[in-house]
Amino acid sequence: MTTARIFCIANQKGGVGKTTTTINLSAGLASLGWRVLLVDLDPQGNATMGSGVDKRKLELSVYDVLLESASVAEARVRSERGGYDVLGANRELAGAEVELVPLPHRNERLRRALTAVEGDYDFVLIDCPPSLSMLTLNGLCAAHGVVVPMQCEYFALEGLSDLVNTVKQVHANLNCDLELIGLLRIMFDPRITLQTQVSEQLKAHFGDKVFNTVIPRNVRLAEAPSHGMPGVVYDPAAKGAQAFVAFAREMAQRLGAAKTAQPVTPTPAPQSEGLPG
Ligand code: ADP
Ligand code: MG
């Protein structure tokens, strides 16, 4: 049995594409045959809704899991369109920020809860809220790595150093498994000179921590959530959808996932090498 690789999609800025990345990377990995769980850690519940799960109708959510009144197995639901499981969130989760404070292991509750299902998945992707809150800390403590979506804009690099420091601190004090997996350039428009410049700066500064795949600005990705499905499923031929599938491939390769596990889609049996004679 394989054990899930767990990633936070994080950036303390809002509107940089965290949720879009979480949804479409989940759908992209699922389309390649990997078993995926999406965890929505943002009380806005956008990743839940964008996966086609109505946050207002959730019987159990990540809130119940953090407060240990439900297990992940009890609270997860299926994104039929996305082909992955969802541990959903809604406004109730905002209360957890306060309710967790006096509780034991308050930063490690998600990690503990995920242990019970890590054999069920190849990837767990956690959509973090735009802050370095206790919810984000729960995500960072549960994860093996952080994926940072970012727009190539003037202030992008400035915000990045805060996040890199947080990852270092969590690594040093709370979770020695945690590493920065990579930076994903998203909503990219190569016609804008500034974006090309910032992209070059990023590569100069972070080297191969910058993913090769670039997600273009693509209106189909922005439209998809209102139809309750990932962009990858809503319009698979669109440039944004194809970029996310390419990104899913790059992630799996970068992690060497292909070496330790195989997607559930059947692969043709190798030809046996018959000896002559
Ligand atoms: P975050 O979760 O970081 O707040 P979102 O994923 O919600 O960011 O994205 C913010 C807005 O940008 C949303 O309206 C989303 O649809 C849009 N968006 C994200 N990525 C793209 C893209 N590649 N092309 C066009 N619009 C995008
Ligand atoms: Mg979001």
Side-chain angles (χ1 to χ4, degrees), residues 97-141:
E97 198 70 59
V98 176
E99 288 164 65
L100 283 173
V101 172
L103 300 180
H105 316 294
R106 60 186 184 191
N107 294 323
E108 276 146 45
R109 295 193 151 225
L110 184 62
R111 183 196 351 225
R112 287 162 164 246
L114 286 174
T115 309
V117 295
E118 62 190 8
D120 297 355
Y121 301 103
D122 300 301
F123 292 93
V124 176
L125 303 179
I126 305 170
D127 187 28
C128 289
S131 61
L132 299 174
S133 60
M134 201 177 303
L135 291 171
T136 302
L137 266 184
N138 260 277
L140 293 175
C141 283

Side-chain angles (χ1 to χ4, degrees), residues 28-221:
L29 287 165
S31 77
L32 297 175
W34 300 102
R35 300 164 306 161
V36 181
L37 172 68
L38 181 158
V39 179
D40 192 350
L41 264 192
D42 188 335
Q44 290 185 53
N46 292 344
T48 304
M49 295 295 279
S51 298
V53 174
D54 191 338
K55 63 181 177 184
R56 292 156 300 197
K57 294 189 182 145
L58 284 176
E59 279 174 29
L60 294 167
S61 70
V62 70
Y63 170 84
D64 301 282
V65 169
L66 290 173
L67 290 177
E68 292 179 353
S69 56
S71 66
V72 177
E74 289 164 338
R76 67 187 164 192
V77 292
R78 185 78 179 161
S79 167
E80 295 296 343
R81 308 304 289 268
Y84 53 86
D85 288 349
V86 177
L87 181 55
N90 53 32
R91 287 181 56 196
E92 210 180 14
L93 182 59
E97 198 70 59
V98 176
E99 288 164 65
L100 283 173
V101 172
L103 300 180
H105 316 294
R106 60 186 184 191
N107 294 323
E108 276 146 45
R109 295 193 151 225
L110 184 62
R111 183 196 351 225
R112 287 162 164 246
L114 286 174
T115 309
V117 295
E118 62 190 8
D120 297 355
Y121 301 103
D122 300 301
F123 292 93
V124 176
L125 303 179
I126 305 170
D127 187 28
C128 289
S131 61
L132 299 174
S133 60
M134 201 177 303
L135 291 171
T136 302
L137 266 184
N138 260 277
L140 293 175
C141 283
H144 302 114
V146 185
V147 171
V148 184
M150 54 183 305
Q151 294 178 48
C152 290
E153 285 172 351
Y154 184 64
F155 289 115
L157 288 165
E158 227 171 72
L160 209 54
S161 55
D162 289 343
L163 185 65
V164 170
N165 283 334
T166 304
V167 171
K168 279 186 186 153
Q169 282 188 13
V170 173
H171 174 94
N173 299 308
L174 296 168
N175 174 8
C176 61
D177 286 340
L178 189 69
E179 58 171 328
L180 180 67
I181 303 292
L183 308 175
L184 176 67
R185 292 163 286 171
I186 183 169
M187 300 190 225
F188 191 74
D189 186 344
R191 292 167 303 181
I192 301 175
T193 312
L194 177 65
Q195 293 210 0
T196 314
Q197 285 169 351
V198 173
S199 173
E200 288 309 314
Q201 281 176 7
L202 270 183
K203 281 197 276 185
H205 209 267
F206 289 95
D208 62 6
K209 288 283 181 199
V210 182
F211 288 109
N212 293 326
T213 311
V214 176
I215 310 295
R217 183 170 284 284
N218 179 240
V219 70
R220 304 299 269 172
L221 289 174

